[in-house]
Amino acid sequence: MPIKLLDTSGEPTDQAPQHGVRLARMADDLAADLTRTGRYRATVLPAAVLERDCPTGKAACLLEAARRQGAALVFVGVVHKSSTLILQIWARLADVHTGRDVFSRDLNFRGDTDEAWQRAETFLVAQIRDTDRSRGD
């Protein structure tokens, strides 16, 4: 799934263009880096497909859309920007058949910069990879 942004920072400057680029880059990098682990064949489901197929954004519809694309797991992520320096990622991998989480993390990172977002994505991939190893998958 595309990664979404929740910005409650109240900053006066509109950063939507920069955040749009960072969100797309994070989703693309996450898919590429997870694929490189050899454990996944990941791809980003375009937002336009989801908006067309699941305009209400309900979980059951999103899971079905991922199933139709041939997915076994679906990544759901939201970056929450609560202030200029504090951001959090709510990240979930869910089984598309059961809807159950197979991975769930809430990760904090500091700084709203390209570098900070990249470090957060790299750390998230390591967390997913390490969770797989600890489960013996």
Side-chain angles (χ1 to χ4, degrees):
M1 302 282 167
I3 300 171
K4 294 186 177 186
L5 176 72
L6 172 62
D7 185 349
T8 61
S9 67
E11 290 184 331
T13 304
D14 180 15
Q15 297 175 324
Q18 297 95 323
H19 287 144
V21 169
R22 288 181 183 140
L23 288 165
R25 185 179 309 127
M26 180 179 268
D28 290 343
D29 289 351
L30 187 62
D33 291 344
L34 286 172
T35 298
R36 270 193 286 280
T37 68
R39 311 232 356 118
Y40 301 93
R41 185 178 45 87
T43 187
V44 177
L45 188 58
V49 170
L50 293 175
E51 290 168 8
R52 182 193 68 220
D53 294 349
C54 300
T56 64
K58 295 197 179 218
C61 184
L62 296 172
L63 290 171
E64 178 57 31
R67 270 193 300 272
R68 281 193 305 270
Q69 296 293 320
L73 298 172
V74 64
F75 177 86
V76 178
V78 175
V79 174
H80 176 215
K81 181 176 178 176
S82 58
S83 74
T84 300
L85 294 175
I86 300 172
L87 294 94
Q88 179 178 22
I89 302 173
W90 294 308
R92 307 287 182 269
L93 271 177
D95 182 301
V96 297
H97 300 289
T98 66
R100 291 190 182 123
D101 286 349
V102 297
F103 172 87
S104 175
R105 292 287 187 286
D106 299 334
L107 307 171
N108 294 310
F109 66 102
R110 301 293 180 258
D112 191 8
T113 65
D114 292 342
E115 182 182 357
W117 282 63
Q118 180 59 49
R119 283 193 318 261
E121 183 272 334
T122 300
F123 185 78
L124 178 55
V125 168
Q127 291 287 295
I128 294 169
R129 183 194 61 230
D130 293 348
T131 298
D132 282 350
R133 287 180 182 157
S134 69
R135 285 194 336 238
D137 290 347

